[in-house]
Amino acid sequence: LLPDTPATSALLLAERVRVRLAEAPPAVPGLHVTASIGVATWSPGQEPALQRLLQQADEAMYEAKRQGRNRT
């Protein structure tokens, strides 16, 4: 969770995390770690539905995977 973070900043942070994971030396020889990350946002004034926010993040992650994995 990134309180008080605009969607564009959240996407940039998610991309940095993805790149760092992909570039990190493997803890196990031959193991290469990648990540597909989804970002969802909630703003004050919107209905506070945690379940809906989690669903949106999940959908965004699967969309990233459909675009070729190791994506934000």
Side-chain angles (χ1 to χ4, degrees), residues 2-72:
L2 303 168
D4 301 318
T5 304
T8 53
S9 297
L11 282 168
L12 289 172
L13 178 60
E15 180 63 10
R16 283 198 311 237
V17 168
R18 185 196 67 75
V19 168
R20 285 274 183 106
L21 281 172
E23 292 175 345
V28 176
L31 179 67
H32 183 73
V33 176
T34 64
S36 294
I37 302 172
V39 173
T41 61
W42 175 86
S43 299
Q46 290 180 323
E47 182 180 329
L50 178 60
Q51 200 60 28
R52 179 67 185 137
L53 183 63
L54 293 174
Q55 180 182 357
Q56 288 172 337
D58 196 48
E59 289 169 2
M61 179 199 58
Y62 281 106
E63 178 59 30
K65 287 184 177 207
R66 277 191 292 277
Q67 292 179 19
R69 297 187 183 251
N70 196 30
R71 305 271 178 142
T72 303

